[in-house]
C-alpha cells in the first residue's frame, strides 16, 4: 500500500513501483480520504493522530 496526504504522489509512486515489478496499491485520495471515512489515524507513538 502506498499513501500520501492527498493521493497525488502515492498514485505516481504506485505506478512506478508496479512498472518495476512490485505489487503496489495506491490508497486513492490519500490520508484525507482515509480520515474522511472514519478510518483510524495514529501518530508514530500509537496515539490518536490528525491530518493537517
Amino acid at each position: 500500500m502506498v499513501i500520501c496526504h492527498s493521493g497525488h504522489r502515492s498514485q505516481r509512486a504506485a505506478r512506478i513501483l508496479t512498472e518495476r515489478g512490485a505489487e503496489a496499491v495506491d490508497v486513492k485520495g490519500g490520508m484525507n480520504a482515509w480520515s474522511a471515512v472514519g478510518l483510524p489515524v495514529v501518530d508514530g507513538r500509537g496515539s490518536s493522530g490528525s491530518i493537517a
Side-chain angles (χ1 to χ4, degrees):
M1 286 181 45
V2 184
I3 193 166
C4 69
H5 187 83
S6 66
H8 297 292
R9 290 169 294 176
S10 61
Q11 183 180 36
R12 278 197 327 255
R15 185 180 68 244
I16 290 167
L17 288 166
T18 300
E19 289 170 354
R20 294 180 181 183
E23 283 188 47
V25 177
D26 175 38
V27 177
K28 303 231 183 275
M31 287 301 299
N32 289 331
W34 180 277
S35 178
V37 296
L39 293 168
V41 177
V42 296
D43 65 16
R45 295 179 300 259
S47 300
S48 290
S50 64
I51 308 301

